[in-house]
Amino acid sequence: MSVLAIRDLTLSFRLWSGPVEVLHGISLSIARGERVALVGESGSGKSVTARIVLGLLQDQSGARIGGRVEFQGRNLSGMSARERRALRGRDISMIFQDPTSSLNPVFRIGGQFREVLARATPGISDTKARATATGLLEEVAIHDPARVLDSYPFQLSGGMNQRVMIAMALANRPSLLLADEPGTALDVTVQAQTLDLMRTLVDDHGTSVLFISHNLGVVREFADRVYVIYRGRIVEEGPTRAVFEHPGHPYTRALMAAQPNLTGGGLPRIPERDPSFLAPLVVHGDRT
Amino acid sequence: MILVLRSLSKTFETGQHRVQALSDVTLEVAEGECMAIVGESGSGKSTLANVVLGLYPPTSGEITFEGEPLPAQRTLAHRQAIQLVQQNPASALNPRRSVAASLRLALDVHGIGEPRKRRARVEELLGDVGLDPSYATRAPAALSGGQRQRVAIARALACESRLVVLDEPTSALDVLVQAQVLRLLDELRTKRNLTYLFITHDLAVVRNIATRVAVFQKGRMVEIGPTETIFSAPSHSYTRSLISAVPVVTPEEFAMRERLGGRS
Amino acid sequence: MRRALSILASNPLTIAGTLLVALIVLAAALADVIAPFPEHQGAVVDFVNFNKPPDATYIMGTDLVGRDLFTRILYAYRISLILGVAVLAISVPVGVTLGLIAGYLGRRWEYIIMRVTDVFLSIPPLVLALSIMGVLEPTLMNGMLAVTAMWWPWYTRLVYNIARGEKVEGYVLAAEVIGASRAHVMFREILPNCVPAILTKMTLDMGFVILIVSSLSFLGLGVQPPTPDLGSMVAEGADYLPDSWWLSVFPGLAILLAVFGFNLVGDGLRDILGADR
């Protein structure tokens, strides 16, 4: 059974100027322990998809959501806001783009960690929480957990905060981890390290990951399977290798060609928009 | 040499904290070059850009532009000659002023062309960056990120500047838009014999647009050389680690990274 | 524009406020035409018809010397509005300029201007105006000056805060790098981004200025007889409540409507102009 199954998801917002369709019926699924990437440019609808999976858009007035989002076989839209809130931080967790601003600047890491743990274990004792947090920080290769737990986020480097975020996100052993452009705000060397770290950890815990990104290189290295999203539609899906080595959709091909290569090759001439980008879905075989 | 930096250092002091943002940087940039300044946060690459732009003076060292020393207090002529394209196109244009007003400012301040011909000049500039003249009357909010960045480039062109500091000009853009803006920048450089100081952390972009690369780490320049050499045979270990950290896509890139002894 | 209209359409209170303000402004402007007894704006005594409750001739009744209250309210509105405009016409340019200088130039300008502003803002407005009026003669002119003196600091602080935020925006840097003058950056680049907030505050303030001028004259300072003023009319009538209720109720209502109307318009403007974008 899939951990996450999205069927024909549509989303539109009612604005002053009239309704705006953001998602035109996207479908995707993530199996247990699978790392799936949703790749697209800004405005493609990748981030709102993540927000819907987190249950954050369902209660927003003006947002109309259609289709089904099933998490471990349970329909998210059928749940109450309270039930969805209970899932967040326990069964579904999230890592954001900028680690430093997603931690609360006025509380120490230790206190914020305790709150995360308390979502799964209400009333967890301070000593217990600290011991658990220490173990989790060691897992993300933080060698002096005691100092980190006593620090405020601004006293730590961006890379350190990112590790803390990863440790927190995995603290309650969630079944699904949503990673929205993780590490984009970090330096490349730090980004590479945190991605390696994240991959090892989710492998160890068998966590499924929905990885939202615009960076083809990062996706290529991290994901098992890729969905390419363009203006609210999935245009191509398949195993990462197949999609990257034999991109079938004109839009995917344009994305690949536009990506500057480390080996050179010059600057390609590629249109920003093209009618062919709206061509029908291309699916690569050997799906799991 | 259009720009020469000699033993340039910059120290910031706030309270008890002293940060050596640039230490003893010597760098020569030839006319018509695209000189990439590469580094991670804290490398001093932004400080270098700001010192060249005259936003603050160096603590020590000298900057020479077109053979003359650049003073801390820049004259209008200096401002005209050295321009900037910023990273974030969303904030680089005044949201309450039209595209034309943003471009005209440069023409008015430097008295470029006859006043009554400036309107036409603005439309010409828009054409030069691949935008329709009708964009002149629009507000920045009506433009996409890529279009705004084109206007920002047009603004630098409007000054008829010779040296343009490009501060991460495409890192806020989507990859398809980035490809076009990079192409435009490259074409403008050859067509107008512009010199670029391309500040960036993106090595893949550097590989395809720069003529030479200077790698910065913690305020020091650790390596400099022609782009080809830097990527085929980097001599400094930091350069190698930077290149191998870049997330890559094609088999050739994977092979290259492996050859450099990085991750595979 | 379409967005503005649709926000307006979905906000009946703003429409009501706009109509109310329009009505008040129109009535004040056309007082000479509308007023049943234009001569009653001055020192007129009619011992036959004094202190009369509202009837068909005097729709809001007459005051203690027999003047038509409706007429006097119309003329009082006219003076209040002129006073409001005059106060804002001086305090807004002064306050905005100081705010821009403090916010953009910073350093010692910021220090000096903002400390002076803090001093003014730490004194309750009415107390400050009262003390100025106490020292000076209680005339219309001095009333206006007193209110102006306490009004500009609010604009300084408003604009200062916006300017400090805008100063770090890329477009300010771009203008500086081009070589634009400091005056250009302040008035042509930063100021346009303050306009929505300033306009909104000005509209709200029209109501408050009317209120504070009325308060001053209620206390016997400010507009002096026989010039009609809403505040002094309420004060005169207050002694004869509840029997001669119309003496203070109608002027009081007039103040209320004006303040309420300007507030509604101000709130609507904030939504339309996106002053807190």
Side-chain angles (χ1 to χ4, degrees):
Chain A
M1 186 182 66
S2 323
V3 171
L4 182 73
I6 298 177
R7 287 270 160 277
D8 276 324
L9 181 65
T10 58
L11 169 70
S12 60
F13 287 106
R14 266 200 318 261
L15 297 180
W16 299 116
S17 43
V20 176
E21 290 241 7
V22 182
L23 296 177
H24 303 266
I26 67 166
S27 302
L28 69 80
S29 66
I30 304 176
R32 179 152 188 79
E34 200 183 17
R35 297 189 298 261
V36 170
L38 186 56
V39 195
E41 298 181 289
S42 51
S44 60
K46 59 186 196 302
S47 290
V48 286
T49 307
R51 294 180 70 81
I52 292 174
V53 173
L54 276 172
L56 293 173
L57 270 183
Q58 276 81 349
D59 305 317
Q60 187 177 313
S61 66
R64 294 176 71 90
I65 300 173
R68 273 178 92 80
V69 179
E70 281 181 11
F71 174 71
Q72 293 183 321
R74 298 166 68 200
N75 186 0
L76 277 185
S77 0
M79 289 183 194
S80 66
R82 199 192 157 83
E83 286 172 300
R84 278 197 297 265
R85 206 159 41 235
L87 281 182
R88 281 203 295 276
R90 214 181 55 199
D91 303 296
I92 306 179
S93 63
M94 182 139 186
I95 296 176
F96 297 94
Q97 179 173 4
D98 183 0
T100 308
S101 67
S102 25
L103 291 165
N104 192 328
V106 299
F107 295 111
R108 290 177 208 274
I109 302 289
Q112 299 190 48
F113 228 116
R114 189 182 177 283
E115 243 169 74
V116 170
L117 292 168
R119 289 194 64 83
T121 324
I124 187 170
S125 74
D126 280 350
T127 13
K128 182 96 201 315
R130 202 173 165 89
T132 315
T134 305
L136 289 163
L137 288 180
E138 276 166 353
E139 243 182 27
V140 293
I142 289 177
H143 304 299
D144 46 354
R147 180 185 69 90
V148 171
L149 285 175
D150 290 330
S151 301
Y152 292 95
F154 62 84
Q155 295 171 317
L156 304 173
S157 69
M160 196 65 102
N161 280 325
Q162 182 70 278
R163 283 163 193 242
V164 170
M165 279 296 296
I166 294 174
M168 280 184 184
L170 295 173
N172 295 325
R173 302 287 178 248
S175 344
L176 179 65
L177 174 67
L178 268 102
D180 192 356
E181 307 269 6
T184 316
L186 300 175
D187 283 327
V188 275
T189 49
V190 184
Q191 186 187 48
Q193 290 162 8
T194 49
L195 280 178
D196 282 347
L197 183 73
M198 212 167 100
R199 184 165 42 199
T200 319
L201 283 174
V202 294
D203 267 356
D204 290 352
H205 300 313
T207 317
S208 308
V209 183
L210 178 58
F211 191 91
I212 314 275
S213 182
H214 71 281
N215 188 323
L216 293 175
V218 168
V219 167
R220 171 79 176 89
E221 297 189 10
F222 187 84
D224 303 323
R225 219 148 48 77
V226 176
Y227 290 85
V228 182
I229 183 169
Y230 177 66
R231 292 171 76 182
R233 291 179 178 83
I234 302 282
V235 296
E236 180 156 4
E237 64 162 291
T240 307
R241 219 190 167 110
V243 171
F244 275 83
E245 285 174 11
H246 309 286
H249 195 277
Y251 176 69
T252 319
R253 283 205 286 265
L255 270 187
M256 306 272 178
Q259 174 79 26
N261 277 343
L262 210 47
T263 43
L267 302 162
R269 186 186 298 275
I270 292 167
E272 193 179 319
R273 284 193 174 187
D274 195 87
S276 71
F277 292 174
L278 294 169
L281 171 72
V282 176
V283 182
H284 293 261
D286 92 80
R287 294 193 50 197
T288 39
Chain B
M1 290 297 143
I2 187 169
L3 180 76
V4 179
L5 312 179
R6 216 172 292 291
S7 308
L8 209 62
S9 294
K10 177 73 189 173
T11 314
F12 291 103
E13 287 184 50
T14 46
Q16 306 106 327
H17 287 285
R18 270 181 60 121
V19 180
Q20 179 92 16
L22 277 183
S23 19
D24 198 25
V25 174
T26 297
L27 176 69
E28 298 191 336
V29 184
E31 195 177 337
E33 257 196 305
C34 176
M35 177 89 229
I37 307 290
V38 175
E40 298 188 288
S41 53
S43 62
K45 60 184 195 297
S46 303
T47 310
L48 181 83
N50 292 343
V51 170
V52 169
L53 285 165
L55 299 179
Y56 37 71
T59 313
S60 64
E62 196 188 38
I63 314 174
T64 319
F65 180 71
E66 294 177 336
E68 311 218 339
L70 273 182
Q73 272 303 323
R74 299 291 163 85
T75 63
L76 269 186
H78 294 136
R79 294 253 174 252
Q80 181 183 347
I82 307 177
Q83 273 303 306
L84 165 73
V85 176
Q86 306 173 51
Q87 173 174 9
N88 186 357
S91 97
L93 301 177
N94 193 332
R96 301 263 168 199
R97 306 193 79 201
S98 71
V99 165
S102 286
L103 293 180
R104 263 205 76 134
L105 175 65
L107 301 176
D108 290 343
V109 167
H110 298 295
I112 296 169
E114 280 175 58
R116 47 193 184 80
K117 287 189 185 154
R118 286 188 191 145
R119 172 83 219 180
R121 178 75 189 123
V122 163
E123 297 190 350
E124 225 173 87
L125 284 164
L126 287 174
D128 291 347
V129 295
L131 291 177
D132 194 83
S134 65
Y135 281 91
T137 51
R138 300 212 192 162
L143 270 59
S144 70
Q147 290 167 337
R148 284 183 215 176
Q149 201 60 317
R150 282 170 191 268
V151 174
I153 294 169
R155 182 165 56 187
L157 296 179
C159 291
E160 296 177 0
S161 54
R162 274 99 67 198
L163 174 68
V164 184
V165 175
L166 302 164
D167 187 2
E168 306 266 11
T170 59
S171 52
L173 303 177
D174 281 321
V175 60
L176 288 179
V177 183
Q178 163 175 282
Q180 294 189 346
V181 172
L182 287 176
R183 264 196 84 88
L184 172 70
L185 286 170
D186 201 43
E187 284 165 7
L188 288 171
R189 179 172 65 89
T190 8
K191 218 183 291 172
R192 299 179 177 231
N193 196 32
L194 295 171
T195 309
Y196 289 160
L197 209 54
F198 198 106
I199 316 287
T200 187
H201 69 279
D202 192 332
L203 284 158
V205 166
V206 167
R207 177 71 181 88
N208 293 286
I209 194 165
T211 52
R212 279 203 301 154
V213 183
V215 182
F216 279 68
Q217 184 191 21
K218 292 179 183 158
R220 294 181 188 279
M221 191 167 83
V222 297
E223 182 164 7
I224 184 166
T227 310
E228 282 291 335
T229 320
I230 292 284
F231 282 86
S232 59
S235 59
H236 199 279
S237 62
Y238 179 68
T239 312
R240 276 199 296 275
S241 69
L242 268 187
I243 296 177
S244 16
V246 177
V248 295
V249 177
T250 65
E252 301 83 57
E253 289 176 303
F254 277 106
M256 169 187 180
R257 222 166 57 174
E258 204 155 345
R259 194 162 39 77
L260 290 174
R263 311 169 311 137
S264 53
Chain C
M1 193 61 206
R2 267 187 56 199
R3 197 183 84 94
L5 286 179
S6 61
I7 293 177
L8 198 63
S10 65
N11 197 341
L13 277 180
T14 307
I15 299 176
T18 312
L19 289 177
L20 192 56
V21 167
L23 201 69
I24 290 172
V25 172
L26 218 63
L30 301 177
D32 293 330
V33 185
I34 302 171
F37 306 94
E39 67 281 5
H40 284 191
Q41 64 171 296
V44 172
V45 178
D46 179 353
F47 284 122
V48 182
N49 295 308
F50 81 99
N51 201 14
K52 279 184 78 165
D55 61 23
T57 324
Y58 305 102
I59 56 171
M60 290 182 186
T62 63
D63 68 7
L64 297 171
V65 288
R67 294 176 297 194
D68 176 40
L69 267 181
F70 179 57
T71 301
R72 289 189 57 81
I73 284 176
L74 289 181
Y75 282 99
Y77 261 148
R78 178 186 275 187
I79 289 166
S80 292
L81 290 174
I82 292 173
L83 224 50
V85 169
V87 165
L88 293 179
I90 299 170
S91 55
V92 172
V94 170
V96 166
T97 306
L98 288 173
L100 284 171
I101 292 173
Y104 175 62
L105 296 185
R107 294 165 184 270
R108 60 175 191 280
W109 295 104
E110 175 178 0
Y111 187 81
I112 297 168
I113 293 172
M114 293 324 290
R115 287 308 78 76
V116 173
T117 306
D118 286 344
V119 169
F120 272 91
L121 290 178
S122 63
I123 307 168
L126 200 56
V127 173
L128 181 66
L130 279 178
S131 39
I132 294 175
M133 295 295 283
V135 177
L136 304 172
E137 296 223 347
T139 62
L140 189 63
M141 192 62 180
N142 288 339
M144 198 195 78
L145 283 178
V147 178
T148 307
M150 45 171 264
W151 223 266
W152 66 266
W154 294 102
Y155 286 88
T156 304
R157 181 182 273 184
L158 175 77
V159 170
Y160 165 75
N161 283 326
I162 301 174
R164 259 176 35 134
E166 297 295 318
K167 181 181 166 174
V168 297
E169 289 287 322
Y171 69 85
V172 171
L173 175 64
E176 287 169 345
V177 169
I178 283 174
S181 65
R182 295 197 284 196
H184 172 93
V185 176
M186 284 193 281
F187 292 102
R188 303 295 300 278
E189 302 288 342
I190 296 179
L191 181 58
N193 289 282
C194 305
V195 164
I198 296 172
L199 274 184
T200 303
K201 184 160 174 56
M202 282 173 71
T203 316
L204 294 171
D205 279 356
M206 274 301 286
F208 291 127
V209 172
I210 291 173
L211 191 63
I212 208 131
V213 170
S214 304
S215 311
L216 283 178
S217 31
F218 177 86
L219 296 169
L221 306 157
V223 183
Q224 293 300 308
T227 315
D229 179 273
L230 299 171
S232 32
M233 285 157 81
V234 174
E236 277 167 28
D239 296 338
Y240 302 90
L241 280 173
D243 299 335
S244 307
W245 54 272
W246 58 92
L247 289 178
S248 44
V249 165
F250 286 117
L253 268 177
I255 297 174
L256 183 87
L257 284 179
V259 176
F260 189 54
F262 279 110
N263 269 292
L264 290 179
V265 176
D267 286 342
L269 263 184
R270 175 159 36 214
D271 295 343
I272 292 167
L273 298 175
D276 45 13
R277 74 193 151 89

